[in-house]
Amino acid sequence: MRAHVIGNVAVDETISVSTMPEAGASILGREETRDLGGKGANQAVVMARAGLPTALVAAVGEDFRAQTIRDQLAPEPVEAKLVALAGRSSDFSIIFTTPDGENAIVTTTESAGSLTLEEAIAALDTAAGDLLVLQGNLSEATTRGLLQEARRRALVTAFNPSPLQPYFVDLWPLVDIAFLNRGETQSLTGLSDRTATERLLQSGVRHVVLTLGGDGAMLASQGREIATIPAVATNVIDTTGAGDTFMAVALASAALRGVELDTRAIGHAAAASALTVSRRGTRSAFPTADELRAILTR
């Protein structure tokens, strides 16, 4: 099985602040890191480091950030298929992080939102049973069209509905695996925790993973009892990229073992994300290939 991640890639600039700024306020901050980011790139890099053959399809502009993105992706084991868009700016994020590890993120999506369905499909080289991974940064037409194309090609689809868009509620019959946090499930279903996962299963999703922060995660699958997997205790420094690490490792763990998503995969994901939140940065905070190898053998 190969993973095909179609999403965004960005340059992340992390600024350390004592408190989050309020409207109209000017505060002092300190630049901590400038790193590769974007949910699509994050998930692709972590899956590839975990040993799952992974391709990333993402759009970039024609600017200095595009070269930074290429340079940052070059040493990674991911197959990067970057679509250069004339007259566009590459996407970037400004991340505010506080001493307690919480963050707020402002992200541009000009390039990701401009990637057409035709451009995305042209970059796909799939076989039946491969994994297609999507997030919420593409346009509605591209996201919906890719999920429909995945059904036609007999691909397994994994979807992380972030950032939230209203039309996501219509996509569940096309999604095999959904990864959401509490806020996202509340917004998309009007329900919380167990009842929210049950609603998503009724909507056609085969596996629902609900991340609960320090309370762990919940795995709900068609025909199985809902399982709760505890979080791994750690010293939280920076939560940037934790959700992407979690999703990527869970998918890689199951795929590498040739099984459907299970509690062992969620346990591996919890261990990997605990490493990510204990470090500052985005790509630089992700577990290394050696660390992931050790986790996945547990």
Side-chain angles (χ1 to χ4, degrees):
M1 175 186 283
R2 297 181 72 232
H4 308 267
V5 183
I6 307 181
N8 68 324
V9 62
V11 175
D12 281 359
E13 297 193 13
T14 301
I15 300 174
S16 177
V17 294
S18 58
T19 59
M20 292 299 174
E22 298 181 359
S26 295
I27 64 173
L28 296 176
R30 181 182 72 256
E31 184 177 61
E32 290 284 352
T33 58
R34 178 176 294 168
D35 207 352
L36 183 76
K39 295 186 71 63
N42 293 347
Q43 293 171 16
V45 165
V46 175
M47 277 191 279
R49 288 187 185 182
L52 182 63
T54 303
L56 168 67
V57 178
V60 296
E62 294 182 328
D63 54 14
F64 73 96
R65 290 192 183 93
Q67 188 57 51
T68 299
I69 288 166
R70 291 188 178 93
D71 292 343
Q72 296 270 8
L73 281 172
E76 296 292 345
V78 65
E79 180 185 3
K81 299 181 178 181
L82 300 181
V83 180
L85 303 178
R88 300 285 182 181
S89 296
S90 297
D91 295 331
F92 65 96
S93 297
I94 303 296
I95 302 165
F96 297 101
T97 182
T98 60
D100 61 2
E102 289 304 310
N103 63 48
I105 305 173
V106 180
T107 299
T108 68
T109 58
E110 181 181 2
S111 285
S114 299
L115 182 69
T116 67
L117 176 61
E118 293 73 23
E119 289 167 331
I121 289 177
L124 281 179
D125 180 18
T126 62
D130 278 357
L131 180 64
L132 179 70
V133 183
L134 299 175
Q135 312 82 35
N137 289 290
L138 305 178
S139 69
E140 177 177 357
T142 300
T143 301
R144 190 184 302 275
L146 284 169
L147 289 171
Q148 292 169 339
E149 179 69 10
R151 280 288 180 263
R152 190 183 70 80
R153 297 192 187 193
L155 306 179
V156 177
T157 56
F159 183 46
N160 173 210
S162 177
L164 285 170
Q165 300 290 343
Y167 71 88
F168 289 165
V169 296
D170 300 325
L171 300 180
W172 300 129
L174 299 171
V175 175
D176 294 310
I177 308 168
F179 284 79
L180 313 89
N181 61 31
R182 271 178 166 147
E184 289 157 358
T185 54
Q186 180 70 40
S187 295
L188 291 168
T189 68
L191 304 169
S192 60
D193 294 5
R194 181 177 292 266
T195 53
T197 62
E198 291 170 345
R199 173 65 59 82
L200 290 168
L201 292 178
Q202 293 166 1
S203 300
V205 184
R206 284 169 50 202
H207 304 279
V208 178
V209 180
L210 174 58
T211 55
L212 306 170
D215 294 329
M218 192 175 292
L219 172 62
S221 301
Q222 296 282 357
R224 298 185 201 168
E225 291 293 322
I226 296 176
T228 300
I229 299 87
V232 174
T234 190
N235 181 31
V236 178
I237 300 297
D238 183 355
T239 58
T240 306
D244 295 329
T245 300
F246 190 100
M247 178 174 175
V249 173
L251 291 172
S253 171
L256 290 168
R257 290 182 288 118
V259 301
E260 292 203 337
L261 203 64
D262 59 8
T263 55
R264 183 179 176 188
I266 303 304
H268 289 160
S273 59
L275 283 179
T276 295
V277 301
S278 69
R279 304 162 176 166
R280 291 201 182 276
T282 309
R283 183 177 68 108
S284 58
F286 294 150
T288 64
D290 287 342
E291 288 171 331
L292 288 169
R293 191 177 302 112
I295 288 171
L296 294 173
T297 57
R298 297 176 188 172

